[in-house]
Amino acid sequence: MERLASHTVERNRAGRTARLFLLGDACFLVVVGVLSTLTMQLAHEWQWGFLLAFTGGMALAMIVQTLLALLVAPLLGSIESMVPSMLVAMVSPMSVCALHAIGCEPGTWVAGALGAAFGVGTLSFVMIYARASRRWTAIAFPGG
Amino acid sequence: MSRIWAWRAKFYDVCEGSQLRRGPHKAALFQEMSGRVLFEAVGTGVDIQHFPPGRDITAIDISDEMLRRARPRAERYRGRLELVRMDAQHLSFPDECFDTVVTACTMCSVPDPHRALREIHRVLRPGGQLLMFEHVRSRNRVLGLALDLMTIWTRWSGTEMNRDTLRNVQAAGFCITRVESVYLDIILSIRAEKMEKLRRPASARGKHGDVVRI
């Protein structure tokens, strides 16, 4: 009975910690999405020409993402912050480029909203893939 | 190689010291240490806090600077913990002298993981266990690509993000008994076993009476 109670307390604690990390991941990915996308938007607003804006904007967005990931690494973990934020900072700024390429120029707010949406989208992908990974390890190595 | 790690030792606790997320998983894995234990690449000793008390552990690292920083943590450990400077690819221990070998983010950092695993296989007794807390390349194409790209610039600091450690462990002759996902399929908690040497029954034995692995 005592063991069951301590197991339940432990599980509750683990659940609470997992929820806190999920919240941390969500905030971080949204911030990365918004800032990297706004960086690309800024590169287009500087009228460098499409190719230069694309390459320069991508390089700057990746620098922004790397700095942010290094900043939160002690709290969220180095790989746990670096890998998903890299996806956000690669895909989200490209969406702004794609809009510019088709002649639809998004404003700052739209670009920011796009970045936030990509951040949330990546978080959803990470959550789904985490479940799939747990299932894979359980099937491939049944001892787990 | 040791020069890179001497330099990285200065930032190691800040960049890699995140124990909030991985700590409980490491503690659960290290709980299974038994008998004489070899811990590879102890670094600045951030993992020592997760060692279960009362174990007999020899911890190695290639960098003197890392070991210097690990010493105060090792002194606080309630058990026997010896720090030794040694290359994981050239272990100077005799064959089959450890019951458990533990690695934590080691296989991403050794230049030749196959050689390091062969050395682990050599020093581990038959039936001994290999406990690994490692990050590997994701099976997902997009995440795998992200890890490949990251490796372009992490390689200069001695870390490869895209190694297929599960396959390497099997290729080195270990039997993987259990794998747990710590973060997606990138950070894994791996349990493996060095297979026992068994004598074949006389009828099935080769002409030299050789021993085989099961």
Side-chain angles (χ1 to χ4, degrees):
Chain A
M1 196 68 181
E2 208 169 279
R3 190 184 287 178
L4 189 72
S6 92
H7 181 68
T8 311
V9 168
E10 215 164 273
R11 246 179 46 182
N12 287 346
R13 192 180 301 155
R16 225 179 6 251
T17 312
R19 278 195 294 276
L20 280 174
F21 276 120
L22 184 66
L23 184 69
D25 285 344
C27 294
F28 169 63
L29 290 177
V30 166
V31 169
V32 170
V34 170
L35 291 185
S36 60
T37 313
L38 286 180
T39 305
M40 180 60 90
Q41 171 68 8
L42 207 62
H44 278 281
E45 280 176 6
W46 286 336
Q47 307 288 324
W48 290 345
F50 184 80
L51 201 63
L52 199 61
F54 173 72
T55 49
M58 279 310 287
L60 287 173
M62 295 314 287
I63 290 170
V64 167
Q65 173 264 330
T66 305
L67 291 177
L68 286 171
L70 288 175
L71 199 70
V72 300
L75 195 66
L76 297 179
S78 50
I79 292 169
E80 295 89 332
S81 56
M82 196 62 86
V83 175
S85 65
M86 196 168 178
L87 292 187
V88 178
M90 278 196 301
V91 180
S92 184
M94 277 189 204
S95 68
V96 169
C97 274
L99 287 175
H100 278 277
I102 59 169
C104 171
E105 294 190 4
T108 308
W109 284 104
V110 174
L114 261 175
F118 273 104
V120 173
T122 305
L123 181 77
S124 310
F125 164 71
V126 166
M127 286 167 69
I128 293 166
Y129 194 62
R131 196 168 295 170
S133 298
R134 282 195 293 273
R135 206 169 29 230
W136 167 68
T137 53
I139 292 167
F141 304 96
Chain B
M1 196 66 202
S2 60
R3 243 185 303 165
I4 289 175
W5 290 103
W7 176 76
R8 278 189 68 175
K10 293 170 191 160
F11 314 100
Y12 195 81
D13 284 2
V14 180
C15 297
E16 307 296 332
S18 167
Q19 300 302 316
L20 288 171
R21 200 165 202 162
R22 302 178 194 171
H25 297 278
K26 283 186 178 176
L29 182 71
F30 297 165
Q31 200 63 41
E32 294 177 28
M33 291 175 174
S34 64
R36 197 170 171 221
V37 180
L38 171 66
F39 190 95
E40 289 203 340
V42 69
T44 58
V46 286
D47 289 333
I48 294 174
Q49 58 183 304
H50 306 301
F51 290 180
R55 302 297 202 271
D56 176 7
I57 303 168
T58 304
I60 64 162
D61 201 281
I62 196 170
S63 157
D64 281 323
E65 182 57 23
M66 287 280 191
L67 291 173
R68 188 185 68 75
R69 287 168 190 262
R71 202 141 285 132
R73 288 170 168 145
E75 281 163 8
R76 285 198 293 274
Y77 175 64
R78 285 174 293 137
R80 194 192 152 276
L81 175 53
E82 187 190 6
L83 299 178
V84 182
R85 187 185 178 280
M86 201 180 288
D87 184 350
Q89 299 172 119
H90 304 94
L91 299 177
S92 56
F93 302 112
D95 294 356
E96 301 179 0
C97 64
F98 289 101
D99 301 290
T100 308
V101 178
V102 188
T103 72
C105 297
T106 307
M107 290 306 140
C108 57
S109 311
V110 287
D112 185 350
H114 301 284
R115 191 187 175 108
L117 282 163
R118 276 201 305 273
E119 279 293 90
I120 292 174
H121 195 270
R122 181 181 67 77
V123 299
L124 196 58
R125 70 161 172 79
Q129 56 177 347
L130 171 60
L131 307 174
M132 307 177 92
F133 190 92
E134 297 287 341
H135 60 85
V136 301
R137 190 182 191 278
S138 174
R139 293 177 316 127
N140 180 281
R141 281 183 191 176
V142 181
L143 292 173
L145 178 69
L147 289 162
D148 290 341
L149 291 173
M150 281 168 72
T151 301
I152 295 170
W153 56 269
T154 58
R155 187 172 284 157
W156 69 266
S157 66
T159 303
E160 307 257 342
M161 307 294 295
N162 55 356
R163 285 195 168 153
D164 191 351
T165 301
L166 284 176
R167 186 170 292 176
N168 293 346
V169 167
Q170 285 173 324
F174 291 96
C175 170
I176 296 176
T177 53
R178 199 167 150 194
V179 176
E180 282 170 12
S181 153
V182 175
Y183 181 71
L184 309 181
D185 58 351
I186 298 173
I187 304 178
L188 301 175
S189 185
I190 305 163
R191 280 113 170 140
E193 206 174 287
K194 177 175 171 179
M195 287 171 274
E196 297 264 11
K197 283 177 185 168
L198 282 189
R199 283 203 169 274
R200 280 190 214 174
S203 57
R205 202 175 292 168
K207 62 179 177 182
H208 301 297
D210 53 329
V211 289
V212 292
R213 292 195 180 99
I214 55 164

